[in-house]
Amino acid sequence: MNQVLEFEKPIVELKEKISELKRLTEGSEMDLSNEISTLEKRLEKLEVDIYSNLNSWERVQIARHGKRPTTLDYVNEIFTGFIELHGDRLFGDDPAIVTGIAKYQGNPVTIIGHQRGKNTKDNIYRNFGSPHPEGYRKALRQMKLAAKFNRPIITFIDTKGAHPGKAAEERGQGEAIARNLMEMASLQVPIISIVIGEGGSGGALGIGVADQIFMLENSTYSVISPEGGASILWKDAKFAKEAAESMKITARDLKELEIIDQVISEPRGGAHRDMQAQAKEIDKQIEQSLATLVQMDKDALIEGRWQKYKNIGSMDE
């Protein structure tokens, strides 16, 4: 069954009416082509009106859509020869983060990304895309290998946040994320990060310190979820919609605040409507970004990364 978001119900109802009219004309002499054409034009206008005026909470819902493409979906579309590498050489493997090497336009790259599941069983295996510390240590191991062999690093961010459980804390969750932030700041290879779904707090930042950061149009990036923010600001998670608006968590908001470098457009209705088309848009951005970054010498690369993060944010006195 297709997941229908609340604001999409008028679109679905109109599509059902069109389908019903088409069924009535099959095997009969009724000519309802004018009525169908009128409804299809109305549907086109309705979709444009709704998807061109999405509020922050509606974009959160699209970012969380169960059919939204994952890291591995894009890896299989954009790259060739992907070889997944497992384990942190300290504790174990974390399926919530996938890492590996592949070729992009014939050149080797390192790929790291959060990975959600496609169904309940897969989500349990992937811990719903919320990594344990071994996931971040696995990612760091691959980043250091990338630096050793001079491979650009491309990360895909898609997590509600790092796993907050007792076992994760006992194994050093905070230290693992903090170490990644420190190490990524000084890696002497290009790093590109793309937020493809939710970018939640330190869980996202653990693989998100990059030379250039991009976000899909309907993705979000925030220190806390709207529900969490509402629980703090209004003492009630029911105000998540209001929190999403005030927290400025959408791609457009973050581009205006100069926290990200570019917004990558999505097919009308979201990336899940046409994954191949979405992959092509991401591919274009990676190509343009790498063309610039690979030409920079190592000192300039690190200095640019330092300046980027030093200048993020503003303070009014």
Side-chain angles (χ1 to χ4, degrees), residues 28-306:
S28 72
E29 296 181 357
M30 284 192 297
D31 184 5
L32 300 175
S33 56
N34 288 337
E35 289 82 354
I36 293 171
S37 178
T38 299
L39 289 179
E40 287 177 336
K41 290 176 182 178
R42 188 189 303 175
L43 175 63
E44 173 75 13
K45 184 179 185 303
L46 182 62
E47 286 189 331
V48 170
D49 289 344
I50 288 177
Y51 292 124
S52 298
N53 297 284
L54 294 171
N55 60 40
S56 297
W57 179 242
E58 289 165 344
R59 293 192 189 278
V60 170
Q61 292 176 281
I62 294 177
R64 294 174 174 175
H65 198 286
K67 298 292 186 182
R68 194 166 177 85
T70 66
T71 293
L72 288 177
D73 289 326
Y74 292 126
V75 168
N76 291 331
E77 284 291 324
I78 299 171
F79 305 92
T80 58
F82 176 66
I83 301 172
E84 186 174 353
L85 302 173
H86 299 270
D88 67 343
R89 301 300 187 265
L90 291 171
F91 179 82
D93 188 47
D94 183 1
I97 286 185
V98 295
T99 67
I101 55 176
K103 284 194 173 181
Y104 179 72
Q105 297 184 350
N107 298 310
V109 295
T110 288
I111 298 168
I112 298 164
H114 300 103
Q115 181 64 31
R116 293 180 291 102
K118 291 288 191 177
N119 50 49
T120 301
K121 182 179 178 180
D122 196 21
N123 263 318
I124 292 171
Y125 172 67
R126 300 283 183 184
N127 200 34
F128 295 85
S130 293
H132 288 77
E134 49 270 22
Y136 293 105
R137 293 183 179 123
K138 173 172 67 172
L140 181 57
R141 187 169 73 87
Q142 296 309 318
M143 291 181 208
K144 288 185 174 181
L145 278 175
K148 180 178 181 178
F149 293 104
N150 199 33
R151 293 194 297 258
I153 299 167
I154 301 168
T155 75
F156 293 89
I157 295 172
D158 186 15
T159 182
K160 293 179 182 296
H163 185 65
K166 180 174 180 287
E169 294 299 333
E170 288 174 342
R171 295 199 298 273
Q173 184 74 288
E175 187 276 341
I177 293 173
R179 182 171 296 276
N180 279 23
L181 302 184
M182 178 184 72
E183 297 279 5
M184 290 185 79
S186 58
L187 289 174
Q188 295 182 326
V189 291
I191 307 174
I192 299 170
S193 287
I194 306 160
V195 184
I196 59 173
E198 289 184 274
S201 194
L205 286 175
I207 62 169
V209 178
D211 302 297
Q212 293 190 344
I213 305 170
F214 308 111
M215 288 180 68
L216 299 194
E217 184 180 354
N218 294 309
S219 60
T220 62
Y221 205 6
S222 174
V223 69
I224 195 171
S225 69
E227 292 88 348
S231 297
I232 294 171
L233 296 173
W234 288 279
K235 311 300 181 186
D236 192 338
K238 292 180 181 178
F239 290 93
K241 181 177 180 180
E242 289 79 2
E245 196 65 43
S246 65
M247 289 163 59
K248 304 297 182 185
I249 64 176
T250 69
R252 301 294 178 188
D253 292 330
L254 294 168
K255 179 66 172 68
E256 290 180 7
L257 293 170
E258 298 182 346
I259 292 174
I260 67 168
D261 295 279
Q262 195 59 258
V263 178
I264 301 176
S265 62
E266 294 189 29
R268 188 188 300 163
H272 59 284
R273 292 290 188 89
D274 192 338
M275 192 269 288
Q276 285 77 22
Q278 186 64 75
K280 288 180 181 178
E281 291 300 315
I282 294 173
D283 186 11
K284 290 177 188 176
Q285 197 64 69
I286 292 174
E287 182 178 23
Q288 293 173 10
S289 183
L290 281 180
T292 300
L293 294 175
V294 296
Q295 299 300 321
M296 299 175 65
D297 65 55
K298 295 178 179 180
D299 290 337
L301 199 66
I302 293 175
E303 178 62 23
R305 199 178 300 155
W306 162 247

